């Protein structure tokens, strides 16, 4: 069902690298960045031609004008070229101009109608496809898009992890929510995952950290937006880096071994994993007890005819848990996530009791 996501002449060891600008802006701009990424040993060049922008009246890409430029990059520099396609017209243009790899953007993956139309257009075509995660943290929707493309007969597939939208200000432009690509890997172990630190971070400062984490999670590759003059880029200026900066980032990456040979290390690790299992057991026990209390509260509220959610109580719980968590060195965002989930589950237990 899936073929290895490998390319002739491209080393198969991790990480598979894709670099190039967010957008193709001019022939000169992409030729010069392509020459520089080639120089540093990268084989796959990315560039967006049709750009999905949040607001109108921003640069929406050069469109099909850029296709002959990419052809030049392919012919003159011998790089593989990859672009985003968001509709059937884009697919036909890409195929007509010999684009090597196409990808579905986050907004497209989120829309099954759009994905199906693209899948139908790909029926009988042999081209590698990458599917970015949908904007919302929904692993099923991501898998659904991958399945639609796979069922059209595309077997050279990869997933691109580019983070997920979140309301409000967070450290990242798109939260990585690592548990989602990890779950994808658990469900489809043969599907390579390529992390896109540029769209996760939205800035240059965190790129290395996110790239390293992707490598430590044994993901297969990295797609990093690269521009010769990032500050002047027409889209995503804050997150793009120069080829020189990319070279430095890559040279700092530590590639740890996926399996451990050393017996000593292995037994220490096993011991530590036993401890984790033990604490997880305890956590489960405590959660069970907590839910039992929630059910008692539900019964009490039912008998006395009062509503389930008392906002002031919930505000107070969250505030005090954050304060407590901080003293224990636990991250505020983490505490909020955990207690939101616990609270939601408590409400479910109470509701069940009240409706009995
Ligand atoms: C991109 O890769 O330039 C892009 C638009 O990405 P995403 O679909 O992840 O927003
Ligand atoms: Mn971009």
């Amino acid at each position: 069902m899936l073929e290895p996501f490998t390319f002739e002449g491209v080393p198969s060891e991790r990480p598979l690298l894709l670099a190039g600008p967010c957008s193709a802006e001019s022939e000169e701009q992409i030729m010069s960045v392509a020459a520089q990424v080639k120089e540093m040993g990268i084989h796959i060049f990315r560039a967006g031609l049709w750009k999905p922008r949040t607001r109108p009246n921003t640069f929406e890409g050069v469109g099909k004008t850029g296709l002959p430029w990419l052809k030049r990059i392919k012919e003159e520099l011998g790089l593989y070229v990859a672009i985003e396609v968001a509709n059937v017209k884009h697919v036909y243009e890409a195929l007509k101009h010999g684009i090597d790899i196409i990808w579905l953007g986050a907004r497209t993956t989120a829309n099954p109608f759009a994905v199906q139309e693209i899948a139908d257009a790909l029926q009988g075509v042999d081209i590698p496809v990458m599917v970015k995660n949908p904007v919302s943290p929904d692993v099923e929707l991501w898998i659904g898009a991958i399945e639609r493309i796979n069922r059209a007969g595309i077997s050279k597939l990869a997933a691109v992890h580019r983070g997920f939208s979140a309301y409000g200000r967070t450290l990242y432009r798109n939260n990585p929510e690592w548990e989602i690509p990890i779950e994808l890997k658990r469900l489809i172990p043969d599907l390579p995952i390529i992390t896109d630190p540029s769209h996760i971070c939205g800035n240059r400062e965190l790129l290395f950290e996110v790239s390293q984490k992707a490598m430590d999670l044994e993901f297969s590759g990295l797609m990093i937006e690269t521009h010769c003059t990032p500050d002047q880029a027409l889209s995503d200026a804050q997150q793009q880096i120069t080829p020189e900066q990319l070279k430095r980032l890559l040279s700092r990456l530590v590639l740890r071994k996926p399996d451990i040979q050393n017996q000593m290390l292995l037994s220490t690790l096993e011991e530590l994993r036993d401890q984790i299992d033990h604490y997880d057991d305890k956590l489960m026990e405590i959660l069970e007890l907590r839910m039992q209390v929630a059910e008692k509260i539900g019964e009490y509220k039912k008998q006395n005819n009062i509503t389930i959610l008392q906002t002031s109580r919930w505000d107070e719980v969250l505030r005090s848990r954050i304060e407590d968590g901080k003293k224990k060195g636990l991250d505020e965002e983490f505490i909020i996530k955990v207690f939101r989930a616990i609270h939601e589950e408590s409400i479910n237990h109470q509701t069940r009791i009240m409706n009995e």
Side-chain angles (χ1 to χ4, degrees):
M1 180 171 123
L2 288 177
E3 263 182 79
F5 201 75
T6 49
F7 301 88
E8 211 186 303
V10 180
S12 59
E13 56 274 8
R14 287 191 314 145
L16 179 70
L17 295 169
L18 292 96
C22 175
S23 304
E25 298 167 5
S26 68
E27 185 165 11
E28 198 193 2
Q29 171 245 5
I30 60 167
M31 286 308 293
S32 71
V33 67
Q36 289 190 48
V37 299
K38 174 175 166 109
E39 180 72 26
M40 51 185 285
I42 284 172
H43 299 84
I44 310 176
F45 184 74
R46 65 144 282 155
L49 297 180
W50 300 278
K51 299 305 297 179
R53 305 306 300 278
T54 304
R55 305 285 295 269
N57 284 330
T58 40
F59 174 66
E60 291 190 318
V62 296
K64 63 179 182 183
T65 316
L67 286 159
W69 308 342
L70 289 165
K71 200 157 176 220
R72 260 192 78 193
I73 290 177
K74 196 177 144 132
E75 287 170 359
E76 291 176 25
L77 299 171
L79 290 169
Y80 289 98
V81 290
I83 62 166
E84 172 178 349
V85 294
N87 60 37
V88 172
K89 225 169 67 194
H90 299 163
V91 173
Y92 293 142
E93 293 289 356
L95 296 175
K96 202 163 78 190
H97 289 83
I99 295 295
D100 300 293
I101 304 166
I102 52 174
W103 81 80
L104 271 60
R107 294 155 197 83
T108 307
T109 307
N111 177 356
F113 288 130
V115 176
Q116 193 56 53
E117 279 181 13
I118 293 173
D120 293 343
L122 287 172
Q123 195 80 42
V125 176
D126 183 20
I127 188 169
V129 178
M130 305 190 293
V131 180
K132 285 201 167 197
N133 65 253
V135 280
S136 51
D138 183 343
V139 75
E140 286 294 314
L141 199 55
W142 198 359
I143 292 177
I146 293 161
E147 271 172 359
R148 285 177 199 276
I149 303 294
N150 190 219
R151 284 170 65 165
I154 302 288
S155 52
K156 218 167 180 177
L157 272 165
V160 179
H161 167 225
R162 52 77 80 193
F164 303 86
S165 294
Y167 182 67
R169 229 167 49 86
T170 65
L171 189 56
Y172 301 100
R173 177 178 177 195
N174 292 291
N175 265 339
E177 316 271 6
W178 294 100
E179 63 283 3
I180 294 183
I182 290 171
E183 178 63 1
L184 179 69
K185 197 167 146 85
R186 190 181 71 80
L187 294 169
I188 318 178
D190 292 340
L191 180 75
I193 298 179
I194 294 166
T195 291
D196 169 349
S198 308
H199 290 92
I200 291 178
C201 298
N203 62 51
R204 292 165 203 147
E205 290 67 40
L206 298 167
L207 287 175
F208 172 75
E209 198 180 294
V210 169
S211 307
Q212 182 63 56
K213 176 134 184 181
M215 291 302 98
D216 288 341
L217 288 169
E218 255 190 86
F219 291 175
S220 304
L222 296 169
M223 165 145 98
I224 300 183
E225 285 187 344
T226 315
H227 194 290
C228 291
T229 48
D231 287 330
Q232 269 110 54
L234 299 180
S235 59
D236 290 351
Q238 282 135 304
Q239 71 197 28
Q240 301 204 59
I241 52 174
T242 61
E244 200 45 52
Q245 287 168 321
L246 176 64
K247 199 165 165 182
R248 218 170 314 135
L249 183 154
L250 296 173
S251 71
R252 286 172 62 205
L253 280 182
V254 181
L255 286 167
R256 300 184 169 94
K257 287 191 212 79
D259 50 0
I260 305 154
Q261 264 105 26
N262 184 322
Q263 238 358 81
M264 256 282 274
L265 270 180
L266 198 64
S267 58
T268 314
L269 204 60
E270 262 170 17
E271 199 181 296
L272 292 170
R273 284 180 175 154
D274 282 348
Q275 286 184 32
I276 293 276
D277 289 348
H278 168 76
Y279 287 121
D280 282 353
D281 273 354
K282 277 199 176 302
L283 266 176
M284 293 286 203
E285 266 172 42
I286 289 173
L287 284 173
E288 185 190 12
L289 291 170
R290 198 188 190 281
M291 292 308 151
Q292 286 169 1
V293 177
E295 287 176 11
K296 279 196 192 131
I297 293 180
E299 253 161 56
Y300 183 77
K301 285 181 178 168
K302 185 180 179 179
Q303 278 159 17
N304 294 285
N305 232 357
I306 46 181
T307 54
I308 291 182
L309 181 66
Q310 270 122 13
T311 328
S312 56
R313 159 75 185 153
W314 169 231
D315 282 347
E316 177 50 26
V317 167
L318 200 57
R319 196 200 54 75
S320 70
R321 303 310 184 258
I322 292 171
E323 202 181 294
D324 219 29
K326 274 189 186 157
K327 284 187 206 139
K328 295 185 162 70
L330 299 168
D331 179 69
E332 175 167 343
E333 256 184 65
F334 168 70
I335 294 289
I336 294 175
K337 260 201 226 161
V338 168
F339 276 91
R340 279 219 175 106
I342 292 178
H343 183 242
E344 206 179 301
E345 187 58 13
S346 289
I347 289 181
N348 291 342
H349 279 251
Q350 287 191 32
T351 318
R352 224 180 40 228
I353 295 293
M354 294 182 84
N355 291 338
E356 264 173 11

